[in-house]
Amino acid sequence: MRSHPPGHYLFKIESFSLLAEANVENFKSDTFEAGGYQWRLVLYPNGNKRSNGSGYISLYLEIFIEKTQNFSLNWEVNVDFKLFVFDQIRDQYLIIKDMEVPVRRFYEMKKE
């Protein structure tokens, strides 16, 4: 947990309960730049069913290659990142980092 917000991008949802009830599979943020690449956050308010996430909130980082130039045919980007979820009750950010795979590999078949 930490008190200061993330440094690269802030994705604020005014009413998560309305989003969860809207019966949408996922919601994508605006694009933002970090590390010379364009990214989006992808939120599955009721879980990513394809990854056995039903009943949970699923949050992913997605490389947005349509706005990133100069990708070669067999491109890949390796990223060490953290996601932060704001806890309104504690007024703190919960830090989410995959400890099993500290660096994620993004490529044509795995953009999220």
Side-chain angles (χ1 to χ4, degrees):
M1 301 287 281
R2 74 180 203 184
S3 60
H4 55 283
H8 282 94
Y9 185 71
L10 184 63
F11 176 44
K12 185 175 181 179
I13 299 169
E14 293 294 331
S15 177
F16 181 80
S17 59
L18 287 176
L19 183 62
E21 293 169 4
N23 203 24
V24 294
E25 181 184 3
N26 64 48
F27 181 81
K28 295 184 179 187
S29 73
D30 291 332
T31 59
F32 61 96
E33 191 274 331
Y37 298 98
Q38 295 293 315
W39 304 92
R40 294 190 289 204
L41 293 175
V42 183
L43 173 71
Y44 293 81
N46 298 305
N48 184 351
K49 294 172 179 70
R50 293 173 294 175
S51 295
N52 297 322
S54 292
Y56 299 94
I57 298 168
S58 300
L59 182 61
Y60 294 88
L61 180 65
E62 175 186 60
I63 192 163
F64 191 60
I65 63 168
E66 288 82 3
K67 288 199 173 187
T68 304
Q69 303 297 320
N70 302 323
F71 272 101
S72 64
L73 184 60
N74 294 318
W75 65 271
E76 73 174 50
V77 177
N78 295 295
V79 182
D80 179 11
F81 67 95
K82 297 175 192 155
L83 299 173
F84 300 83
V85 177
F86 185 64
D87 180 339
Q88 293 181 342
I89 295 170
R90 293 178 183 86
D91 195 31
Q92 295 277 313
Y93 288 88
L94 171 66
I95 302 167
I96 302 168
K97 180 165 176 58
D98 191 341
M99 300 309 282
E100 293 178 19
V101 184
V103 175
R104 286 285 174 179
R105 182 174 150 243
F106 293 85
Y107 54 97
E108 184 61 37
M109 299 304 290
K110 188 173 185 314
K111 296 177 193 164
E112 185 176 279

